[in-house]
Structure formats: C-alpha cells, structure tokens
Amino acid sequence: MSASPTTEAAPRSPRPRRTDPHRRERIVAAALEVLAEHGVAGTTHRRVAAAADVPLGSTTYHFASLADLRAAAYRALQQRVSQQYEAALAAARTPAQLVDAVTDLVMGDAGASAADWSVTYELYLEALKDPALREVTEGWMATSRRVLERVVDPATARGLDALVEGLVMHRVLSTAPMGRDVVREAVRRAVGAPVDDRAPGPATTPATAPAPAPTGRDGDPRT
C-alpha cells in the first residue's frame, strides 16, 4: 500500500509594505501645527503623530528627540517664510520701490499667518536658551539681509531688517497697530529714500498779507 502524497502548504507572500515617501515631511508639518496650537510645552510625540496621522513610532524613527523635531519644524518655517519674503521684494530695484515693497510686506504681516508668527516667537524663546537654534534665527536674518542688499548697502540692510521685524511684531501684538502712512515713513527714513512729492505733507498756514495802511477821507495815507 503506497503512502498518500502529502500536500505542502504554499509559502505565504510577504505583506506589502505601505509606501509613504513623504512621511517625514508630514510629521514636520504636523509639528508646526502642534507648536502653533500648544506651544513648546504642549508639543509631544503623541500629539504630533496624531496630527500627522502616522504611528507613534514614526516620530521617534525619524527624529531622535522632540528637540530635533522642533528644530526641523523651525527650519521648515524659516525656508517657507524666507521664500515669501524674497518673492515680495523681488521686483524692487530702486530705494523708492523698496520702500513700497517693504511697506506692503509689513502691512501684510510679512506674508505669514498668525500661526506662523506664533511658532516664530516660540523659536525666539527657545533660541534664547538653546544656542544651537540661533543657527536657525541667524540663517533667517542673513537670508533677509541678502534680499535687501540688492538695493541698499549692507549696513542699511541690517538696520532695515531689524526695523521690519519690529514693525511686524507691533502689528501682530498691538491692539492699535500703526497705519500705513506711519509705517511707510519709518521705512523711508531707514532706506534713506527721498520724500515722495506725491505724498501729502504737513498742513501749512498760508502767509497773511499785511493789512493796508489806514487812509484819510481823501485817500491819502494817514501819518
């Protein structure tokens, strides 16, 4: 009697891996959202993973620590806002054009959203305590100055860059932000551009003509 042939089970094919080539970028973008909403103290791997819709282990796989993740988020923000800054000033070729372009930039909060500025100020606070993050802030300022130096000298560019930062901060934080005319005049002075003759100047009182000398009945001046 012959033995019945045994049937070998077919080998299982490996489970297909989910391809997600942009997962790291999604995690960084999610970290920016979490930083804007919860600040540094409230930013955790779990919150970032939930916002990015990735497994919790993905954040620690791509970033060794929360500090590394925040630094990557800050760099991503710096690159995006710097590109917007450069695009806003690209057409400026003369000091007068630069004044107009910078004024538009300030009045538009430098093209950044409220969430962007929230994360920016988180970066500033962290950079005060973490010198490594000052590479991000210094790179940001250097990029801005290079754009301005297309029109003005390096010393003027440095001062103008600081002025723009302060003007935008006032607009973001003030309950009564400065109007366009005030902003434009501050920028004009920093650039050293001539006064625009088309702009309304201070009101002047017309000169008063001297009163005619009193005359007598015959029309001769009285003495």
Side-chain angles (χ1 to χ4, degrees), residues 163-211:
L163 175 65
V164 170
E165 186 89 13
L167 288 173
V168 173
M169 183 179 294
H170 274 255
R171 279 191 54 79
V172 172
L173 300 178
S174 177
T175 57
M178 291 179 286
R180 181 181 181 85
D181 290 344
V182 176
V183 170
R184 190 182 190 284
E185 178 60 14
V187 174
R188 185 197 67 76
R189 293 185 182 190
V191 172
V195 177
D196 188 350
D197 292 336
R198 296 170 299 174
T204 57
T205 303
T208 303

Side-chain angles (χ1 to χ4, degrees), residues 92-173:
R93 293 291 182 270
T94 66
Q97 291 173 344
L98 183 63
V99 169
D100 288 335
V102 170
T103 301
D104 290 341
L105 188 73
V106 171
M107 298 306 293
D109 296 341
S113 66
D116 290 339
W117 283 112
S118 178
V119 176
T120 299
Y121 295 139
E122 292 286 351
L123 165 61
Y124 292 169
L125 289 173
E126 272 211 272
L128 288 174
K129 303 174 184 178
D130 184 357
L133 285 176
R134 294 179 195 172
E135 295 180 5
V136 180
T137 57
E138 181 58 35
W140 199 333
M141 291 185 287
T143 300
S144 300
R145 291 196 296 266
R146 281 196 299 270
V147 174
L148 297 171
E149 286 171 11
R150 297 172 184 172
V151 182
V152 296
D153 62 88
T156 301
R158 180 179 288 269
L160 181 57
D161 181 47
L163 175 65
V164 170
E165 186 89 13
L167 288 173
V168 173
M169 183 179 294
H170 274 255
R171 279 191 54 79
V172 172
L173 300 178

Side-chain angles (χ1 to χ4, degrees), residues 9-163:
R12 293 183 179 180
S13 58
R15 295 176 62 184
R17 289 187 176 183
R18 179 185 175 188
T19 59
D20 191 358
H22 303 295
R23 177 171 292 189
R24 187 182 189 279
E25 289 80 0
R26 291 213 322 277
I27 293 172
V28 170
L32 284 171
E33 295 177 7
V34 174
L35 278 166
E37 183 176 357
H38 299 284
V40 170
T43 298
T44 64
H45 283 293
R46 188 174 299 278
R47 276 181 171 157
V48 173
D53 191 23
V54 299
L56 179 59
S58 292
T59 61
T60 54
Y61 174 81
H62 288 284
F63 302 97
S65 66
L66 277 173
D68 290 339
L69 175 54
R70 291 196 304 270
Y74 293 143
R75 291 190 186 94
L77 176 65
Q78 178 255 318
Q79 292 172 1
R80 174 163 56 81
V81 175
S82 292
Q83 289 172 355
Q84 295 169 348
Y85 186 98
E86 184 169 7
L89 304 183
R93 293 291 182 270
T94 66
Q97 291 173 344
L98 183 63
V99 169
D100 288 335
V102 170
T103 301
D104 290 341
L105 188 73
V106 171
M107 298 306 293
D109 296 341
S113 66
D116 290 339
W117 283 112
S118 178
V119 176
T120 299
Y121 295 139
E122 292 286 351
L123 165 61
Y124 292 169
L125 289 173
E126 272 211 272
L128 288 174
K129 303 174 184 178
D130 184 357
L133 285 176
R134 294 179 195 172
E135 295 180 5
V136 180
T137 57
E138 181 58 35
W140 199 333
M141 291 185 287
T143 300
S144 300
R145 291 196 296 266
R146 281 196 299 270
V147 174
L148 297 171
E149 286 171 11
R150 297 172 184 172
V151 182
V152 296
D153 62 88
T156 301
R158 180 179 288 269
L160 181 57
D161 181 47
L163 175 65

